C-alpha cells in the first residue's frame, strides 16, 4: 500500500524488514521470463530479475514512474499484479 500511496521510503523500509522471502524469488523468475519487455522500458532489468533486489527495484521504478515517466506504468502494473498474486498464494498455502 505504501508504494501505491506514493510513500516510497516507507515501502522500502518494510521490504527491508521482510528480508529474503520466497515470493521475491518467484517474482524475479517471472520478470526474467519477461526480460524483453523490461529491456524496452526504463526499468532496471538486472535489479528486477534478482530475488535480493526485486522489491526495492519495483519501489524505485514506481517512484520514477510517478515522478514523471508514465510510459513505465502499464508494465509496472503487470509486475505489481504478479507480486500481489504470489503474495496471496503464499499466504493461502501457509
Amino acid at each position: 500500500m505504501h508504494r501505491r500511496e506514493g510513500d516510497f521510503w516507507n515501502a522500502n523500509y518494510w521490504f527491508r524488514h521482510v528480508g529474503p522471502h520466497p515470493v521475491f524469488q518467484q517474482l524475479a523468475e517471472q520478470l526474467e521470463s519477461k526480460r524483453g519487455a523490461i529491456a524496452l522500458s526504463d526499468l532496471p532489468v538486472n535489479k528486477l530479475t534478482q530475488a535480493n533486489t526485486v522489491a526495492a527495484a519495483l519501489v524505485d521504478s514506481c517512484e520514477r514512474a510517478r515522478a514523471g515517466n508514465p510510459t513505465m506504468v502499464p508494465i509496472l502494473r503487470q509486475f505489481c499484479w504478479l507480486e500481489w498474486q504470489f503474495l496471496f498464494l503464499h499466504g493461502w498455502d501457509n
Side-chain angles (χ1 to χ4, degrees):
M1 276 317 289
H2 293 300
R3 195 171 53 204
R4 183 174 170 85
E5 295 167 344
D7 190 359
F8 303 107
W9 181 91
N10 208 2
N12 274 325
Y13 169 84
W14 287 109
F15 277 124
R16 281 191 305 273
H17 277 283
V18 169
H21 194 282
V23 166
F24 296 158
Q25 183 62 43
Q26 288 178 290
L27 189 57
E29 289 168 4
Q30 280 295 312
L31 298 183
E32 176 65 37
S33 73
K34 299 177 185 328
R35 184 177 272 277
I38 298 171
L40 295 174
S41 68
D42 291 332
L43 301 176
V45 176
N46 291 337
K47 290 183 179 181
L48 285 168
T49 57
Q50 296 178 23
N52 62 332
T53 55
V54 67
L58 272 175
V59 171
D60 294 344
S61 296
C62 289
E63 184 174 17
R64 285 199 336 244
R66 187 171 182 152
N69 195 343
T71 59
M72 297 166 54
V73 171
I75 196 164
L76 286 169
R77 279 191 180 139
Q78 291 175 18
F79 295 163
C80 291
W81 176 240
L82 278 173
E83 177 191 43
W84 186 90
Q85 291 175 72
F86 291 147
L87 286 167
F88 179 81
L89 291 172
H90 178 78
W92 187 268
D93 291 339
N94 291 317

